Amino acid sequence: MGESAGNASLGKKAFKRSTSHFADRITADGRDGWPVEAGRYRLVVSRACPWASRALISRRLLGLEGALSLAVADPVQDDRSWRFTLDPDGRDPVLGIRFLGEAYDAREKDYPGGVSVPAVVDVPSGRLVTNDYQQITLDLATEWTALHREGAPDLYPERLRSEIDEVVAGIYEDVNNGVYRAGFATGQKEYEEACAGVFCRLEQLAGRLADHRYLVGDAISEADIRLFTTLVRFDAVYHGHFKCNRWKLTENQVLWAYARDLYQTPGFGDTVDFDHIKRHYYQVHTGINPTGIVPLGPDLAGWLTPHHRERLGGRPFGEGTAPGPVPEDERVPAHGRP
């Protein structure tokens, strides 16, 4: 979960990921007071943040662009929260606010915790609905079905949910969150345990993917989305910035091919902005990179090379079809792509 509070303190005190304070759900029956409704809500993300990138990918795969509008925050935030300095006059054109924190304040003043993405905001009231990054994508897949595009894939099929849940639990603990525990460790033992956990889990996942194109079943699921958002950042930031450097993603034949396969699948790579990713981690985390220098590498050209994963079979979208072209106003600038 991309948070804004205490950037300089990262790496100087024990790391603990906060839970989502606002866990209301937007559902088909509106049981939390927030019914699914086209045009009512705005998804606020940073393309730098892996937790927000899950929602970006899910929204695109499911074809929810016309139903759930998108706000993209500046990757270099400050202690006042994620800011809309990429937009004209530094304001989100729909919500009319300069900082995401204003939507949090409209919901609850002086709440405990930092301002995080992804966040879903109720447009009419300007109030935050949820910042529950674990649940948002599951609800997009299961509660927003009436607004899915024709041919949308089933990203959380009921018959596979228990297996998906088991797989993503390990991915979260050791990979998604593990790289942060390693990167923000304050002591050698803490770092070594977290780093070892990252690579142990990655090696297990590589074994699982050696003869299966996708993590669960024969099509893309929530599990693949959650692993991809860490893998796509691995060599660019986690290997160096977070000291997860036993090996690079490009040095693991199975995971590198798997990540390229997903990157080249519509809905994945077309949501990734490497420029945002690198500038956020290296410029914001001043507690572990006080100079703010952003490295020139790695070379991104490899992301577009053949992966040959088709030989394993599987259908990326299951019974569905690929999403259409990216809306022009949501395209990643050329300097953020290979």
Side-chain angles (χ1 to χ4, degrees):
M1 182 166 52
E3 297 184 358
S4 64
N7 298 327
S9 68
L10 296 172
K12 297 180 181 178
K13 62 181 181 180
F15 174 73
K16 182 179 180 181
R17 185 165 300 284
S18 62
T19 57
S20 299
H21 182 67
F22 301 100
D24 287 3
R25 294 175 61 190
I26 300 170
T27 57
D29 63 8
R31 56 186 177 272
D32 282 0
W34 306 105
V36 170
E37 184 180 328
R40 176 171 176 177
Y41 306 101
R42 191 155 175 83
L43 174 65
V44 182
V45 303
S46 164
R47 293 190 187 274
C49 171
W51 319 99
S53 291
R54 297 176 179 182
L56 265 175
I57 293 169
S58 296
R59 172 180 174 269
R60 172 139 166 71
L61 290 174
L62 298 171
L64 289 170
E65 293 98 327
L68 177 62
S69 66
L70 181 68
V72 178
D74 192 313
V76 182
Q77 86 272 42
D78 60 27
D79 285 338
R80 291 171 294 178
S81 89
W82 296 96
R83 51 189 183 170
F84 297 108
T85 44
L86 301 179
D87 295 301
D89 194 36
R91 290 185 184 274
D92 178 79
V94 173
L95 300 174
I97 56 178
R98 293 186 180 277
F99 296 93
L100 176 56
E102 296 175 53
Y104 277 66
D105 289 342
R107 171 70 184 271
E108 180 183 328
K109 287 280 189 181
D110 302 320
Y111 71 94
V115 174
S116 65
V117 289
V120 182
V121 179
D122 178 50
V123 174
S125 67
R127 297 168 62 206
L128 177 77
V129 176
T130 178
N131 68 343
D132 190 347
Y133 63 102
Q134 299 280 42
Q135 189 64 43
I136 287 173
T137 51
L138 299 180
D139 284 343
L140 290 180
T142 60
E143 298 288 341
W144 289 66
T145 53
L147 299 176
H148 288 181
R149 66 177 174 87
E150 184 178 353
D154 187 351
L155 299 175
Y156 195 47
E158 193 165 358
R159 64 184 177 83
L160 297 175
R161 286 181 190 176
S162 61
E163 185 177 0
I164 291 172
D165 291 346
E166 181 181 0
V167 171
V168 301
I171 291 172
Y172 171 80
E173 180 64 26
D174 296 323
V175 180
N176 299 149
N177 202 44
V179 292
Y180 281 84
R181 288 189 291 109
F184 294 148
T186 58
Q188 189 69 31
K189 185 174 184 291
E190 177 189 358
Y191 157 73
E192 289 184 6
E193 289 177 351
C195 188
V198 169
F199 286 94
C200 179
R201 181 68 65 176
L202 287 177
E203 286 162 0
Q204 290 177 10
L205 292 167
R208 184 184 185 98
L209 289 164
D211 54 5
H212 292 83
R213 190 172 180 185
Y214 304 110
L215 282 169
V216 180
D218 65 352
I220 290 164
S221 74
E222 177 78 13
D224 299 292
I225 294 171
R226 295 192 182 199
L227 179 56
F228 174 80
T229 58
T230 295
L231 294 184
V232 78
R233 290 162 173 77
F234 204 86
D235 288 3
V237 289
Y238 300 146
H239 180 271
H241 185 59
F242 278 179
K243 305 180 184 71
C244 293
N245 61 359
R246 285 184 59 187
W247 38 262
K248 295 178 181 178
L249 177 65
T250 54
E251 295 169 348
N252 185 293
Q253 183 177 0
V254 172
L255 291 180
W256 176 223
Y258 166 78
R260 298 199 319 276
D261 185 5
L262 291 178
Y263 184 88
Q264 293 170 32
T265 299
F268 284 83
D270 51 28
T271 68
V272 175
D273 190 324
F274 284 105
D275 175 65
H276 279 207
I277 290 169
K278 288 170 60 176
R279 288 197 291 120
H280 168 75
Y281 281 88
Y282 285 102
Q283 292 184 331
V284 171
H285 298 163
T286 55
I288 56 176
N289 187 41
T291 64
I293 292 172
V294 180
L296 293 175
D299 183 0
L300 301 176
W303 284 100
L304 302 179
T305 58
H307 52 76
H308 306 298
R309 296 278 293 178
E310 307 93 340
R311 62 181 174 78
L312 296 176
R315 300 164 297 166
F317 308 103
E319 299 293 333
T321 58
V326 180
E328 187 173 353
D329 61 349
E330 295 185 11
R331 292 175 185 168
V332 174
H335 60 267
R337 296 182 272 118

